mmCIF file of all heavy atoms in Angstrom:
data_model
loop_
_atom_site.group_PDB
_atom_site.id
_atom_site.type_symbol
_atom_site.label_atom_id
_atom_site.label_comp_id
_atom_site.label_asym_id
_atom_site.label_seq_id
_atom_site.Cartn_x
_atom_site.Cartn_y
_atom_site.Cartn_z
ATOM 1 N N SER A 149 -7.229 5.794 -1.281
ATOM 2 C CA SER A 149 -6.804 6.940 -0.440
ATOM 3 C C SER A 149 -5.759 6.424 0.557
ATOM 4 O O SER A 149 -5.956 5.283 1.049
ATOM 5 C CB SER A 149 -8.020 7.512 0.303
ATOM 6 O OG SER A 149 -7.656 8.678 0.969
ATOM 7 N N MET A 150 -4.816 7.230 0.848
ATOM 8 C CA MET A 150 -3.780 6.774 1.821
ATOM 9 C C MET A 150 -3.450 7.936 2.773
ATOM 10 O O MET A 150 -3.632 9.130 2.527
ATOM 11 C CB MET A 150 -2.533 6.302 1.040
ATOM 12 C CG MET A 150 -1.768 7.472 0.399
ATOM 13 S SD MET A 150 -0.358 7.999 1.395
ATOM 14 C CE MET A 150 0.066 9.511 0.488
ATOM 15 N N CYS A 151 -2.976 7.464 3.956
ATOM 16 C CA CYS A 151 -2.514 8.431 5.019
ATOM 17 C C CYS A 151 -1.088 7.941 5.469
ATOM 18 O O CYS A 151 -1.026 6.916 6.100
ATOM 19 C CB CYS A 151 -3.553 8.409 6.203
ATOM 20 S SG CYS A 151 -3.074 9.494 7.500
ATOM 21 N N LEU A 152 -0.106 8.744 5.219
ATOM 22 C CA LEU A 152 1.226 8.408 5.541
ATOM 23 C C LEU A 152 1.482 8.640 7.044
ATOM 24 O O LEU A 152 1.066 9.638 7.592
ATOM 25 C CB LEU A 152 2.284 9.287 4.756
ATOM 26 C CG LEU A 152 3.663 8.915 4.968
ATOM 27 C CD1 LEU A 152 4.012 7.630 4.220
ATOM 28 C CD2 LEU A 152 4.568 10.098 4.423
ATOM 29 N N LEU A 153 2.029 7.654 7.625
ATOM 30 C CA LEU A 153 2.421 7.695 9.070
ATOM 31 C C LEU A 153 3.906 7.938 9.279
ATOM 32 O O LEU A 153 4.341 8.662 10.183
ATOM 33 C CB LEU A 153 2.043 6.396 9.807
ATOM 34 C CG LEU A 153 0.567 6.023 9.758
ATOM 35 C CD1 LEU A 153 0.315 4.729 10.563
ATOM 36 C CD2 LEU A 153 -0.330 7.131 10.207
ATOM 37 N N HIS A 154 4.755 7.288 8.445
ATOM 38 C CA HIS A 154 6.213 7.406 8.549
ATOM 39 C C HIS A 154 6.873 7.221 7.221
ATOM 40 O O HIS A 154 6.418 6.368 6.458
ATOM 41 C CB HIS A 154 6.700 6.375 9.596
ATOM 42 C CG HIS A 154 8.234 6.222 9.552
ATOM 43 N ND1 HIS A 154 9.118 7.031 10.357
ATOM 44 C CD2 HIS A 154 9.060 5.508 8.826
ATOM 45 C CE1 HIS A 154 10.426 6.718 10.036
ATOM 46 N NE2 HIS A 154 10.347 5.796 9.148
ATOM 47 N N ALA A 155 7.938 7.931 6.945
ATOM 48 C CA ALA A 155 8.681 7.674 5.741
ATOM 49 C C ALA A 155 10.094 8.164 5.849
ATOM 50 O O ALA A 155 10.362 9.136 6.470
ATOM 51 C CB ALA A 155 8.094 8.412 4.558
ATOM 52 N N SER A 156 11.032 7.346 5.459
ATOM 53 C CA SER A 156 12.409 7.710 5.448
ATOM 54 C C SER A 156 12.922 7.297 4.042
ATOM 55 O O SER A 156 12.253 6.859 3.188
ATOM 56 C CB SER A 156 13.215 6.992 6.505
ATOM 57 O OG SER A 156 13.222 5.603 6.294
ATOM 58 N N LEU A 157 14.277 7.371 3.845
ATOM 59 C CA LEU A 157 14.851 6.991 2.576
ATOM 60 C C LEU A 157 14.717 5.460 2.340
ATOM 61 O O LEU A 157 14.844 5.093 1.119
ATOM 62 C CB LEU A 157 16.354 7.410 2.520
ATOM 63 C CG LEU A 157 16.627 8.888 2.493
ATOM 64 C CD1 LEU A 157 18.113 9.183 2.566
ATOM 65 C CD2 LEU A 157 15.944 9.541 1.309
ATOM 66 N N THR A 158 14.540 4.632 3.283
ATOM 67 C CA THR A 158 14.491 3.236 2.991
ATOM 68 C C THR A 158 13.255 2.447 3.484
ATOM 69 O O THR A 158 13.083 1.330 3.319
ATOM 70 C CB THR A 158 15.716 2.591 3.810
ATOM 71 O OG1 THR A 158 15.720 2.951 5.175
ATOM 72 C CG2 THR A 158 17.047 3.015 3.156
ATOM 73 N N GLU A 159 12.335 3.204 4.176
ATOM 74 C CA GLU A 159 11.120 2.490 4.594
ATOM 75 C C GLU A 159 9.956 3.469 4.794
ATOM 76 O O GLU A 159 10.179 4.669 4.911
ATOM 77 C CB GLU A 159 11.374 1.754 5.998
ATOM 78 C CG GLU A 159 11.863 2.703 7.072
ATOM 79 C CD GLU A 159 12.188 1.945 8.320
ATOM 80 O OE1 GLU A 159 11.590 0.914 8.671
ATOM 81 O OE2 GLU A 159 13.043 2.410 9.090
ATOM 82 N N TYR A 160 8.803 2.963 4.890
ATOM 83 C CA TYR A 160 7.593 3.827 5.143
ATOM 84 C C TYR A 160 6.454 2.937 5.740
ATOM 85 O O TYR A 160 6.428 1.754 5.569
ATOM 86 C CB TYR A 160 7.103 4.512 3.823
ATOM 87 C CG TYR A 160 6.486 3.580 2.818
ATOM 88 C CD1 TYR A 160 5.124 3.241 2.874
ATOM 89 C CD2 TYR A 160 7.265 2.962 1.753
ATOM 90 C CE1 TYR A 160 4.564 2.368 1.864
ATOM 91 C CE2 TYR A 160 6.706 2.161 0.862
ATOM 92 C CZ TYR A 160 5.341 1.815 0.893
ATOM 93 O OH TYR A 160 4.760 1.036 -0.021
ATOM 94 N N VAL A 161 5.488 3.580 6.396
ATOM 95 C CA VAL A 161 4.295 2.914 6.943
ATOM 96 C C VAL A 161 3.167 3.857 6.687
ATOM 97 O O VAL A 161 3.268 5.085 6.863
ATOM 98 C CB VAL A 161 4.458 2.759 8.510
ATOM 99 C CG1 VAL A 161 3.236 2.091 9.100
ATOM 100 C CG2 VAL A 161 5.684 1.853 8.795
ATOM 101 N N LEU A 162 2.138 3.321 6.232
ATOM 102 C CA LEU A 162 0.952 4.117 5.860
ATOM 103 C C LEU A 162 -0.388 3.330 6.022
ATOM 104 O O LEU A 162 -0.345 2.164 6.117
ATOM 105 C CB LEU A 162 1.051 4.691 4.457
ATOM 106 C CG LEU A 162 1.214 3.811 3.242
ATOM 107 C CD1 LEU A 162 -0.076 3.202 2.760
ATOM 108 C CD2 LEU A 162 1.925 4.503 2.121
ATOM 109 N N LEU A 163 -1.485 4.049 6.015
ATOM 110 C CA LEU A 163 -2.790 3.465 6.038
ATOM 111 C C LEU A 163 -3.369 3.641 4.621
ATOM 112 O O LEU A 163 -3.154 4.672 3.985
ATOM 113 C CB LEU A 163 -3.770 4.218 7.019
ATOM 114 C CG LEU A 163 -3.087 4.409 8.447
ATOM 115 C CD1 LEU A 163 -4.064 5.234 9.305
ATOM 116 C CD2 LEU A 163 -2.884 3.031 9.092
ATOM 117 N N PHE A 164 -4.064 2.665 4.105
ATOM 118 C CA PHE A 164 -4.592 2.676 2.773
ATOM 119 C C PHE A 164 -5.914 1.985 2.594
ATOM 120 O O PHE A 164 -6.230 1.047 3.449
ATOM 121 C CB PHE A 164 -3.559 2.001 1.809
ATOM 122 C CG PHE A 164 -4.043 1.942 0.368
ATOM 123 C CD1 PHE A 164 -3.885 3.041 -0.427
ATOM 124 C CD2 PHE A 164 -4.662 0.830 -0.135
ATOM 125 C CE1 PHE A 164 -4.273 3.033 -1.696
ATOM 126 C CE2 PHE A 164 -5.108 0.788 -1.420
ATOM 127 C CZ PHE A 164 -4.919 1.968 -2.256
ATOM 128 N N GLY A 165 -6.758 2.420 1.716
ATOM 129 C CA GLY A 165 -8.008 1.770 1.476
ATOM 130 C C GLY A 165 -8.866 2.558 0.517
ATOM 131 O O GLY A 165 -8.422 3.498 -0.198
ATOM 132 N N THR A 166 -10.043 2.062 0.357
ATOM 133 C CA THR A 166 -11.041 2.621 -0.655
ATOM 134 C C THR A 166 -12.532 2.508 -0.099
ATOM 135 O O THR A 166 -12.808 1.529 0.590
ATOM 136 C CB THR A 166 -10.956 1.946 -2.013
ATOM 137 O OG1 THR A 166 -11.884 2.446 -2.913
ATOM 138 C CG2 THR A 166 -11.072 0.504 -1.862
ATOM 139 N N ALA A 167 -13.247 3.405 -0.380
ATOM 140 C CA ALA A 167 -14.664 3.460 -0.043
ATOM 141 C C ALA A 167 -15.573 2.995 -1.120
ATOM 142 O O ALA A 167 -16.767 2.817 -0.930
ATOM 143 C CB ALA A 167 -15.134 4.901 0.438
ATOM 144 N N VAL A 168 -14.887 2.682 -2.302
ATOM 145 C CA VAL A 168 -15.696 2.193 -3.453
ATOM 146 C C VAL A 168 -14.979 0.958 -4.066
ATOM 147 O O VAL A 168 -13.827 0.793 -3.825
ATOM 148 C CB VAL A 168 -15.959 3.268 -4.534
ATOM 149 C CG1 VAL A 168 -16.688 4.414 -4.032
ATOM 150 C CG2 VAL A 168 -14.617 3.726 -5.084
ATOM 151 N N ASP A 169 -15.651 0.151 -4.835
ATOM 152 C CA ASP A 169 -14.998 -0.935 -5.508
ATOM 153 C C ASP A 169 -14.034 -0.371 -6.580
ATOM 154 O O ASP A 169 -14.244 0.597 -7.315
ATOM 155 C CB ASP A 169 -16.012 -1.740 -6.259
ATOM 156 C CG ASP A 169 -17.021 -2.494 -5.366
ATOM 157 O OD1 ASP A 169 -16.565 -2.731 -4.252
ATOM 158 O OD2 ASP A 169 -18.124 -2.736 -5.813
ATOM 159 N N THR A 170 -12.816 -0.859 -6.592
ATOM 160 C CA THR A 170 -11.819 -0.460 -7.501
ATOM 161 C C THR A 170 -10.790 -1.523 -7.791
ATOM 162 O O THR A 170 -10.655 -2.464 -6.999
ATOM 163 C CB THR A 170 -11.042 0.787 -6.940
ATOM 164 O OG1 THR A 170 -10.224 1.348 -8.014
ATOM 165 C CG2 THR A 170 -10.285 0.486 -5.719
ATOM 166 N N GLY A 171 -10.054 -1.428 -8.888
ATOM 167 C CA GLY A 171 -9.086 -2.432 -9.206
ATOM 168 C C GLY A 171 -8.315 -2.097 -10.431
ATOM 169 O O GLY A 171 -8.618 -1.096 -11.212
ATOM 170 N N GLY A 172 -7.193 -2.785 -10.756
ATOM 171 C CA GLY A 172 -6.363 -2.504 -11.884
ATOM 172 C C GLY A 172 -4.967 -3.189 -11.762
ATOM 173 O O GLY A 172 -4.885 -4.300 -11.256
ATOM 174 N N HIS A 173 -3.937 -2.524 -12.221
ATOM 175 C CA HIS A 173 -2.615 -3.078 -12.196
ATOM 176 C C HIS A 173 -1.816 -2.621 -10.964
ATOM 177 O O HIS A 173 -1.943 -1.471 -10.639
ATOM 178 C CB HIS A 173 -1.869 -2.615 -13.566
ATOM 179 C CG HIS A 173 -0.625 -3.340 -13.739
ATOM 180 N ND1 HIS A 173 0.562 -3.039 -13.085
ATOM 181 C CD2 HIS A 173 -0.270 -4.336 -14.597
ATOM 182 C CE1 HIS A 173 1.618 -3.846 -13.535
ATOM 183 N NE2 HIS A 173 1.074 -4.589 -14.471
ATOM 184 N N SER A 174 -1.099 -3.522 -10.343
ATOM 185 C CA SER A 174 -0.494 -3.157 -9.133
ATOM 186 C C SER A 174 0.757 -2.312 -9.382
ATOM 187 O O SER A 174 1.096 -1.410 -8.543
ATOM 188 C CB SER A 174 0.115 -4.412 -8.384
ATOM 189 O OG SER A 174 1.157 -5.029 -9.219
ATOM 190 N N GLY A 175 1.414 -2.405 -10.488
ATOM 191 C CA GLY A 175 2.721 -1.719 -10.726
ATOM 192 C C GLY A 175 3.867 -2.655 -10.268
ATOM 193 O O GLY A 175 3.621 -3.616 -9.560
ATOM 194 N N ARG A 176 5.062 -2.280 -10.646
ATOM 195 C CA ARG A 176 6.288 -2.985 -10.263
ATOM 196 C C ARG A 176 7.131 -2.011 -9.392
ATOM 197 O O ARG A 176 7.293 -0.877 -9.816
ATOM 198 C CB ARG A 176 7.111 -3.508 -11.405
ATOM 199 C CG ARG A 176 6.341 -4.493 -12.319
ATOM 200 C CD ARG A 176 7.224 -4.888 -13.487
ATOM 201 N NE ARG A 176 6.467 -5.568 -14.494
ATOM 202 C CZ ARG A 176 6.316 -6.858 -14.584
ATOM 203 N NH1 ARG A 176 6.851 -7.673 -13.654
ATOM 204 N NH2 ARG A 176 5.595 -7.326 -15.605
ATOM 205 N N TYR A 177 7.726 -2.484 -8.330
ATOM 206 C CA TYR A 177 8.519 -1.611 -7.450
ATOM 207 C C TYR A 177 9.782 -2.191 -7.043
ATOM 208 O O TYR A 177 9.991 -3.387 -7.021
ATOM 209 C CB TYR A 177 7.694 -1.386 -6.156
ATOM 210 C CG TYR A 177 6.263 -0.962 -6.380
ATOM 211 C CD1 TYR A 177 5.162 -1.833 -6.136
ATOM 212 C CD2 TYR A 177 6.005 0.294 -6.854
ATOM 213 C CE1 TYR A 177 3.858 -1.479 -6.387
ATOM 214 C CE2 TYR A 177 4.605 0.665 -7.144
ATOM 215 C CZ TYR A 177 3.634 -0.217 -6.929
ATOM 216 O OH TYR A 177 2.354 0.187 -7.128
ATOM 217 N N TRP A 178 10.756 -1.355 -6.768
ATOM 218 C CA TRP A 178 12.084 -1.753 -6.195
ATOM 219 C C TRP A 178 11.986 -1.806 -4.683
ATOM 220 O O TRP A 178 12.800 -1.238 -3.947
ATOM 221 C CB TRP A 178 13.173 -0.814 -6.630
ATOM 222 C CG TRP A 178 13.514 -1.019 -8.066
ATOM 223 C CD1 TRP A 178 12.841 -1.788 -8.999
ATOM 224 C CD2 TRP A 178 14.576 -0.362 -8.802
ATOM 225 N NE1 TRP A 178 13.418 -1.706 -10.259
ATOM 226 C CE2 TRP A 178 14.428 -0.774 -10.119
ATOM 227 C CE3 TRP A 178 15.528 0.544 -8.404
ATOM 228 C CZ2 TRP A 178 15.423 -0.332 -11.102
ATOM 229 C CZ3 TRP A 178 16.450 1.032 -9.393
ATOM 230 C CH2 TRP A 178 16.326 0.513 -10.739
ATOM 231 N N ALA A 179 10.892 -2.463 -4.215
ATOM 232 C CA ALA A 179 10.682 -2.469 -2.779
ATOM 233 C C ALA A 179 9.814 -3.679 -2.427
ATOM 234 O O ALA A 179 9.042 -4.184 -3.270
ATOM 235 C CB ALA A 179 10.055 -1.244 -2.240
ATOM 236 N N ASP A 180 9.999 -4.202 -1.233
ATOM 237 C CA ASP A 180 9.068 -5.275 -0.679
ATOM 238 C C ASP A 180 7.999 -4.563 0.079
ATOM 239 O O ASP A 180 8.318 -3.841 0.977
ATOM 240 C CB ASP A 180 9.843 -6.221 0.178
ATOM 241 C CG ASP A 180 10.857 -7.083 -0.540
ATOM 242 O OD1 ASP A 180 10.654 -7.347 -1.784
ATOM 243 O OD2 ASP A 180 11.917 -7.480 0.020
ATOM 244 N N ILE A 181 6.735 -4.885 -0.249
ATOM 245 C CA ILE A 181 5.564 -4.135 0.340
ATOM 246 C C ILE A 181 4.693 -5.205 0.931
ATOM 247 O O ILE A 181 4.342 -6.228 0.325
ATOM 248 C CB ILE A 181 4.808 -3.394 -0.716
ATOM 249 C CG1 ILE A 181 5.780 -2.277 -1.347
ATOM 250 C CG2 ILE A 181 3.631 -2.675 -0.106
ATOM 251 C CD1 ILE A 181 5.181 -1.610 -2.529
ATOM 252 N N SER A 182 4.213 -4.961 2.101
ATOM 253 C CA SER A 182 3.216 -5.852 2.808
ATOM 254 C C SER A 182 1.977 -5.023 3.263
ATOM 255 O O SER A 182 2.128 -3.896 3.644
ATOM 256 C CB SER A 182 3.856 -6.572 4.023
ATOM 257 O OG SER A 182 4.130 -5.595 5.032
ATOM 258 N N ASN A 183 0.813 -5.651 3.088
ATOM 259 C CA ASN A 183 -0.445 -5.026 3.439
ATOM 260 C C ASN A 183 -1.221 -5.987 4.316
ATOM 261 O O ASN A 183 -1.309 -7.132 3.919
ATOM 262 C CB ASN A 183 -1.244 -4.699 2.212
ATOM 263 C CG ASN A 183 -0.651 -3.552 1.388
ATOM 264 O OD1 ASN A 183 -0.944 -2.373 1.693
ATOM 265 N ND2 ASN A 183 0.155 -3.915 0.387
ATOM 266 N N THR A 184 -1.746 -5.536 5.441
ATOM 267 C CA THR A 184 -2.560 -6.368 6.261
ATOM 268 C C THR A 184 -3.995 -5.772 6.301
ATOM 269 O O THR A 184 -4.129 -4.526 6.564
ATOM 270 C CB THR A 184 -2.096 -6.425 7.736
ATOM 271 O OG1 THR A 184 -0.761 -6.906 7.708
ATOM 272 C CG2 THR A 184 -2.877 -7.343 8.598
ATOM 273 N N VAL A 185 -4.981 -6.588 5.988
ATOM 274 C CA VAL A 185 -6.319 -6.136 5.797
ATOM 275 C C VAL A 185 -7.007 -5.914 7.152
ATOM 276 O O VAL A 185 -6.954 -6.770 8.035
ATOM 277 C CB VAL A 185 -7.211 -7.180 4.988
ATOM 278 C CG1 VAL A 185 -8.599 -6.701 4.793
ATOM 279 C CG2 VAL A 185 -6.456 -7.446 3.632
ATOM 280 N N ILE A 186 -7.566 -4.752 7.296
ATOM 281 C CA ILE A 186 -8.374 -4.407 8.516
ATOM 282 C C ILE A 186 -9.862 -4.736 8.275
ATOM 283 O O ILE A 186 -10.470 -5.346 9.197
ATOM 284 C CB ILE A 186 -8.137 -2.903 8.873
ATOM 285 C CG1 ILE A 186 -6.732 -2.665 9.301
ATOM 286 C CG2 ILE A 186 -9.076 -2.557 10.100
ATOM 287 C CD1 ILE A 186 -6.244 -3.363 10.552
ATOM 288 N N SER A 187 -10.360 -4.363 7.218
ATOM 289 C CA SER A 187 -11.765 -4.562 6.821
ATOM 290 C C SER A 187 -11.930 -4.765 5.351
ATOM 291 O O SER A 187 -11.084 -4.396 4.600
ATOM 292 C CB SER A 187 -12.609 -3.432 7.361
ATOM 293 O OG SER A 187 -12.287 -2.264 6.676
ATOM 294 N N GLY A 188 -13.048 -5.411 4.961
ATOM 295 C CA GLY A 188 -13.312 -5.555 3.518
ATOM 296 C C GLY A 188 -12.524 -6.811 2.997
ATOM 297 O O GLY A 188 -12.121 -7.650 3.733
ATOM 298 N N THR A 189 -12.412 -6.848 1.662
ATOM 299 C CA THR A 189 -11.707 -7.918 0.954
ATOM 300 C C THR A 189 -10.782 -7.435 -0.076
ATOM 301 O O THR A 189 -11.091 -6.420 -0.726
ATOM 302 C CB THR A 189 -12.751 -8.983 0.356
ATOM 303 O OG1 THR A 189 -13.528 -8.235 -0.610
ATOM 304 C CG2 THR A 189 -13.565 -9.574 1.400
ATOM 305 N N PHE A 190 -9.742 -8.133 -0.327
ATOM 306 C CA PHE A 190 -8.697 -7.795 -1.357
ATOM 307 C C PHE A 190 -8.519 -9.009 -2.230
ATOM 308 O O PHE A 190 -8.166 -10.064 -1.725
ATOM 309 C CB PHE A 190 -7.464 -7.287 -0.762
ATOM 310 C CG PHE A 190 -6.355 -7.031 -1.658
ATOM 311 C CD1 PHE A 190 -6.323 -5.906 -2.439
ATOM 312 C CD2 PHE A 190 -5.263 -7.950 -1.774
ATOM 313 C CE1 PHE A 190 -5.267 -5.628 -3.383
ATOM 314 C CE2 PHE A 190 -4.244 -7.668 -2.677
ATOM 315 C CZ PHE A 190 -4.240 -6.585 -3.454
ATOM 316 N N GLN A 191 -8.561 -8.808 -3.468
ATOM 317 C CA GLN A 191 -8.344 -9.894 -4.468
ATOM 318 C C GLN A 191 -7.105 -9.633 -5.277
ATOM 319 O O GLN A 191 -6.929 -8.537 -5.834
ATOM 320 C CB GLN A 191 -9.572 -10.133 -5.375
ATOM 321 C CG GLN A 191 -9.489 -11.411 -6.293
ATOM 322 C CD GLN A 191 -10.824 -11.648 -6.933
ATOM 323 O OE1 GLN A 191 -11.708 -10.873 -6.859
ATOM 324 N NE2 GLN A 191 -10.964 -12.843 -7.543
#
């Protein structure tokens, strides 16, 4: 689930997470993406 805070043609900021265990393929993007963990674990 995600909550968008800001988006323009070249950048965005959002909140993201899950209340259940989940996983799969990340996908490939024409963008550099960074995520900083607030709680839980990410593998």
Side-chain angles (χ1 to χ4, degrees):
S149 185
M150 70 96 194
C151 178
L152 185 73
L153 304 182
H154 168 89
S156 70
L157 292 177
T158 53
E159 59 183 327
Y160 69 88
V161 179
L162 57 83
L163 311 175
F164 178 81
T166 175
V168 299
D169 295 331
T170 189
H173 192 283
S174 67
R176 300 180 194 266
Y177 310 107
W178 288 5
D180 293 331
I181 301 171
S182 67
N183 290 273
T184 301
V185 181
I186 297 295
S187 64
T189 59
F190 173 76
Q191 188 171 8

